[in-house]
Amino acid sequence: SVPGYSVIKGMAESTVGAPADMQLKPVLANFDDAAQLGFEVRRLSDGRVLLYLPGAPDPWSGGLFVMDAARVEMLDIPLTQAVKSLRSLGKAASDFYARAGT
């Protein structure tokens, strides 16, 4: 079991009524001049994306955001690596952040 995974998954389930077998997908949420690690919860019928943007190092301190799909970049990393990044305050993530946006 990965520390933090069940926290994020449980928060998504209780917050948005997501099914227990839902797979959260690590993403980079792009704002005007900044980006944040997050998790895609689902795609909405209007094309926007529902995201959970956790806090670091405590994933309980996050929030839900609705963003245009064009501002959401899928990250090619496992969920475990994304959670590890949060827990290490980004130290475990420098290379995948550097690859994002290329």
Side-chain angles (χ1 to χ4, degrees):
S1 170
V2 177
Y5 171 76
S6 58
V7 171
I8 294 168
K9 183 177 169 191
M11 289 179 74
E13 289 171 5
S14 64
T15 306
V16 297
D21 62 349
M22 177 185 72
Q23 294 294 318
L24 296 174
K25 300 171 191 153
V27 299
L28 203 56
N30 292 292
F31 297 93
D32 291 333
D33 58 354
Q36 181 176 338
L37 175 65
F39 301 94
E40 180 179 311
V41 176
R42 72 173 55 153
R43 297 276 165 153
L44 302 176
S45 61
D46 64 4
R48 295 178 301 161
V49 182
L50 178 62
L51 301 175
Y52 174 69
L53 301 182
D58 180 8
W60 282 106
S61 63
L64 289 173
F65 292 78
V66 176
M67 295 186 78
D68 289 333
R71 291 182 173 251
V72 178
E73 179 181 349
M74 299 302 290
L75 292 174
D76 187 24
I77 60 169
L79 182 62
T80 54
Q81 187 176 359
V83 171
K84 184 177 178 182
S85 168
L86 292 169
R87 294 213 171 259
S88 70
L89 297 174
K91 291 180 186 175
S94 59
D95 46 309
F96 73 77
Y97 284 131
R99 288 191 314 263
T102 59

